[in-house]
Amino acid sequence: MTERTPTEPLSPLGADSPADIYRRFLADLFGVMAYGELSAFERMSSDARFSPTLHDRTVLGALAVREYEHFERVSAHLQELGLDPEEAMRPFQPSVDAFHDRTKPADWFESLMKFYVTDAISDDFYQAVAARLDPETASLVLGLQEAEPTGGVLEARLQQALADDPRLASRLALWGRRLVGEALTQAQRVLLERAVLGGLLQGTVQGIYEDEVKMLFAALTRNHSRRMNRLGLTA
């Protein structure tokens, strides 16, 4: 792909040059990433106090700290691009908050499943997007995913919980199905409302654009099913 220069200034008179479109895309991409990390930190920190053991509380607290570190890294990158992190996050706040309001866990185990499902889907989405980014930006996005131990930690804890109490299986399977439906709906809403992929697929005819989006969501769904299978749950 042609290497872009995301830090170059916008063209005069608001002309929609490819660099302008890509820079707006980066503002949206890192804006939604930053708010997602900040929300994860807040909710992990809050839910940690309901942990059944002190060890679980410690682990979840450590994961929350990692989420905040990621938020700081993304915010710093936005500032390097000459963008205000708060301004970049603000458009996504209502829809992300509404998603969390619709998916309030009933207990700590549902909270754990929610972190597991949403974190993994986010990782899959950003990894797919990274394949189309300029090298420097892709390195940042992939670096955040590679440094992210959350998925493995949560999966191991869920496997232990299901082994200790098999009665959790049906409830968590149902909860997981609801979460993935809500998460994919939320992702589609972001794509439609903010045209998040527009900066990557500029010049693509409408039919091909729609096909690429469909393939992305099909891959997200398949990966979710594989993760549920590893837990012994029906997706």
Side-chain angles (χ1 to χ4, degrees):
M1 65 180 290
T2 301
E3 185 167 341
R4 301 172 173 87
T5 54
T7 56
E8 66 184 67
L10 293 177
S11 300
L13 304 178
D16 286 332
S17 71
D20 294 342
I21 295 171
Y22 187 65
R23 188 168 185 266
R24 284 195 291 272
F25 157 74
L26 291 181
D28 279 346
L29 174 65
F30 288 114
V32 72
M33 283 183 71
Y35 194 67
E37 299 286 4
L38 182 60
S39 295
F41 160 72
E42 293 171 339
R43 295 172 196 284
M44 281 187 174
S45 300
S46 176
D47 290 0
R49 69 184 189 274
F50 299 116
S51 301
T53 69
L54 284 175
H55 175 73
D56 287 324
R57 188 172 182 176
T58 301
V59 170
L60 207 58
L63 294 179
V65 170
R66 181 63 63 88
E67 297 290 344
Y68 193 78
E69 289 173 349
H70 288 179
F71 161 72
E72 290 184 312
R73 288 180 62 185
V74 176
S75 294
H77 191 70
L78 280 164
Q79 291 174 326
E80 289 172 5
L81 296 176
L83 300 167
D84 183 338
E86 290 188 18
E87 290 296 324
M89 290 189 289
R90 189 168 290 118
F92 303 100
Q93 184 176 1
S95 58
V96 172
D97 288 352
F99 165 76
H100 288 299
D101 288 341
R102 292 193 305 270
T103 56
K104 291 182 178 178
D107 60 16
W108 187 80
F109 294 105
E110 287 193 5
S111 177
L112 207 64
M113 176 64 86
K114 181 178 175 179
F115 291 136
Y116 178 62
V117 170
T118 57
D119 183 79
I121 289 176
S122 295
D123 282 356
D124 288 346
F125 178 80
Y126 295 133
Q127 286 178 15
V129 170
R132 291 180 170 272
L133 297 172
D134 64 273
E136 180 183 356
T137 306
S139 177
L140 172 66
V141 172
L142 293 176
L144 289 174
Q145 312 310 316
E146 291 169 359
E148 178 60 80
T150 304
V153 172
L154 296 177
E155 182 173 298
R157 185 61 184 90
L158 284 166
Q159 288 172 334
Q160 179 186 337
L162 290 164
D164 293 341
D165 185 1
R167 293 173 299 178
L168 287 171
S170 59
R171 178 160 66 90
L172 291 185
L174 181 62
W175 179 235
R177 289 193 289 273
R178 180 183 170 190
L179 288 170
V180 71
E182 290 281 1
L184 293 178
T185 298
Q186 168 70 13
Q188 289 175 321
R189 182 175 294 114
V190 169
L191 289 178
L192 291 173
E193 290 180 355
R194 301 291 300 181
V196 167
L197 294 183
L200 296 182
L201 301 176
Q202 51 186 301
T204 303
V205 298
Q206 185 64 24
I208 297 176
Y209 176 89
E210 292 174 352
D211 288 344
E212 293 221 21
V213 171
K214 287 179 183 177
M215 288 190 292
L216 169 61
F217 280 89
L220 296 178
T221 302
R222 286 195 302 272
N223 290 342
H224 170 75
S225 296
R226 294 189 187 102
R227 287 187 288 269
M228 292 301 100
N229 287 337
R230 292 203 297 268
L231 293 175
L233 303 178
T234 304

